[in-house]
Amino acid sequence: AAFVPQGNLRSQPSEVSFGAAAVQTGVSSIPEAGTSQAALGLFGLTVAGLAASASRAAASRRQPKVLRRNQFFDNGGITATGICAPFPDKFDPLKLANTDAKMERYTAVEIKHGRVAMIATLGYVVPELFHFPGCENFTNGLGALNTMPVEGWVQMVAFIGAHEILVKPRAAGMGAYDFGFGTELLDGADAVEIQRRQTAERNNGRLAMMAIFGMMWQDGTFGMSPFALMRETGLWGPNIDFIIKDIPMCAGGSMCAVKPAGTRVARSATALHAEATEEPRMSLALPYLRYPEQLDGWAGGEKGFDPMNITMALPVYWCREAELKHGRVCMLATVGWIATDSGLRFAGDMFQNVSTIEAHSKMVEAGVMAPFLAAVGVVELYGGWLTLNGFEERIKRDA
């Protein structure tokens, strides 16, 4: 009865079902003389089912919140401090914390950076409302680096150094991040509540790290703290045309936050007149599409191949840099794949008997991936510097 018969299910009689369907099948098999007794039985089963459902719902409402919270933070008995949706497990795609020792170290580093970021974020906000005596002339934000006297730097470095050297994690604490500050707030809390508070601290630290980077970038870009900039230019901030001036679709169009010249009626009339009197230039690579004018003057641009109009949304310079970079990476990857399949190997036992499919996992297990990514990072930083300076025409990078 537990198996579904083969063949067309629509053409076969229903022999097994659940719930009311099963009762109805049983009722249909009862002689007509016992119909009333069957109806009473069906009614009794329905009432019993509703009562059981109500009992389960009441039991779930009576269930203490600690248990439901524990199910969220401690799924199946697995400790999940610091892990929140949408990630069911720790977020470590590169497997950097592949041992307990590394995981403990990275956890302490993350918590420490989060605490520093929270203090830094407060340091951006509090000076807008309050200054210590003698510090009234200090500039807020990054400007404080230029207005703070030498005595202030000495005090700050001495305080941070003393904290780093003298303050140690407490004995029998929760970890290398437990210095004993604020532990009285955990007195009387159960394990689930402590876990929730630890997760809240980490989430606040992660948010603060993003916030301080955003405020520092805005401060460095516009020359004042975000709050001073808001007071001077209003809630919407200053003109940002300098950021989008090199995007072709923003040049005189209505796709970006740049005020076009002239009235809307005049611009529409000019555009309609140009379309009516001039024959559109078509792409050589794709004759059914118009030629992307922004590709004029670029090597390979004479073919006009840009079916998705990417160069209308991004500067052609950045697209060309990305195209060349992706091409070079793919050429290296292709040569590496062929060389590996041909039997070429680096010296060392860890590189032997490793196929191209297994290479990534094996190198992660052998600990080679971290220095490899570090070398790639150095090349990326140098390439980014070249790209930025070439875009600003500080160096010659014509292509």
Side-chain angles (χ1 to χ4, degrees):
F3 299 94
V4 178
Q6 299 180 357
N8 187 354
L9 297 181
R10 294 178 180 270
S11 63
Q12 297 178 357
S14 176
E15 297 180 357
V16 180
S17 56
F18 300 93
V23 177
Q24 292 173 2
T25 303
V27 171
S28 63
S29 63
I30 298 176
E32 186 174 353
T35 301
S36 59
Q37 290 84 351
L40 291 175
L42 176 59
F43 177 76
L45 289 175
T46 303
V47 172
L50 292 175
S53 300
S55 176
R56 286 194 298 268
S60 64
R61 285 195 298 269
R62 289 193 302 269
Q63 184 180 6
K65 294 183 178 180
V66 174
L67 293 179
R68 291 198 292 271
R69 193 188 305 155
N70 190 44
Q71 291 173 0
F72 175 78
F73 283 100
D74 194 7
N75 186 12
I78 301 175
T79 301
T81 303
I83 300 175
C84 297
F87 302 108
D89 199 354
K90 65 177 182 179
F91 181 75
D92 186 18
L94 298 179
K95 305 298 182 184
L96 299 178
N98 52 6
T99 64
D100 292 339
K102 290 182 179 180
M103 186 63 192
E104 184 177 357
R105 176 179 176 274
Y106 287 134
T107 298
V109 169
E110 180 194 25
I111 294 175
K112 182 175 182 178
H113 281 83
R115 291 169 177 170
V116 172
M118 287 188 279
I119 296 175
T121 303
L122 288 177
Y124 252 87
V125 177
V126 172
E128 301 291 337
L129 308 172
F130 167 79
H131 282 86
F132 288 105
C135 304
E136 292 81 0
N137 296 325
F138 288 1
T139 306
N140 299 342
L142 296 179
L145 301 177
N146 299 322
T147 57
M148 190 167 62
V150 177
E151 295 83 354
W153 281 102
V154 172
Q155 294 176 18
M156 185 172 64
V157 172
F159 176 78
I160 296 176
H163 184 278
E164 289 289 330
I165 296 174
L166 301 178
V167 180
K168 302 296 183 181
R170 63 171 181 163
M174 299 180 183
Y177 49 85
D178 184 1
F179 296 98
F181 299 138
T183 54
E184 62 275 2
L185 299 176
L186 302 179
D187 293 342
D190 58 9
V192 176
E193 180 62 20
I194 294 176
Q195 191 178 62
R196 186 193 69 80
R197 295 182 184 182
Q198 288 180 312
T199 303
E201 180 193 20
R202 297 190 194 182
N203 285 341
N204 290 328
R206 292 160 183 167
L207 179 60
M209 286 188 276
M210 298 177 64
I212 191 63
F213 271 113
M215 290 190 290
M216 291 174 64
W217 179 90
Q218 187 170 346
D219 195 337
T221 302
F222 297 104
M224 62 181 71
S225 69
F227 304 98
L229 184 67
M230 188 182 301
R231 286 196 303 267
E232 181 174 319
T233 60
L235 180 62
W236 298 107
N239 191 307
I240 58 170
D241 288 358
F242 71 95
I243 298 178
I244 60 177
K245 63 182 178 63
D246 295 297
I247 301 178
M249 69 190 304
C250 296
S254 59
M255 299 295 293
C256 300
V258 180
K259 184 178 180 179
T263 64
R264 181 167 57 183
V265 176
R267 293 194 304 270
S268 300
T270 302
L272 292 174
H273 177 74
E275 291 182 1
T277 57
E278 298 179 6
E279 183 177 351
R281 182 182 176 187
M282 307 305 290
S283 169
L284 296 178
L286 303 167
Y288 50 88
L289 296 179
R290 292 194 177 188
Y291 178 81
E293 301 292 342
Q294 63 273 7
L295 294 183
D296 272 341
W298 291 87
E302 64 276 0
K303 300 298 182 181
F305 182 79
D306 187 11
M308 300 183 68
N309 285 328
I310 294 177
T311 53
M312 282 290 290
L314 298 172
V316 181
Y317 176 86
W318 292 100
C319 295
R320 176 50 52 88
E321 289 283 353
E323 178 188 24
L324 294 174
K325 183 176 180 179
H326 282 82
R328 291 163 182 166
V329 171
C330 288
M331 286 187 285
L332 287 172
T334 303
V335 171
W337 192 287
I338 296 175
T340 303
D341 285 348
S342 299
L344 296 179
R345 297 289 190 278
F346 287 107
D349 295 337
M350 70 178 67
F351 301 109
Q352 312 305 318
N353 300 321
V354 178
S355 66
T356 51
I357 302 297
E358 301 172 337
H360 177 270
S361 300
K362 294 294 184 181
M363 295 304 101
V364 171
E365 295 174 1
V368 180
M369 191 58 67
F372 171 75
L373 293 178
V376 173
V378 173
V379 176
E380 287 290 323
L381 290 175
Y382 179 64
W385 179 84
L386 290 175
T387 301
L388 182 60
N389 283 273
F391 181 67
E392 296 177 352
E393 299 182 352
R394 298 176 184 174
I395 58 177
K396 187 175 180 60
R397 284 176 60 83
D398 294 339

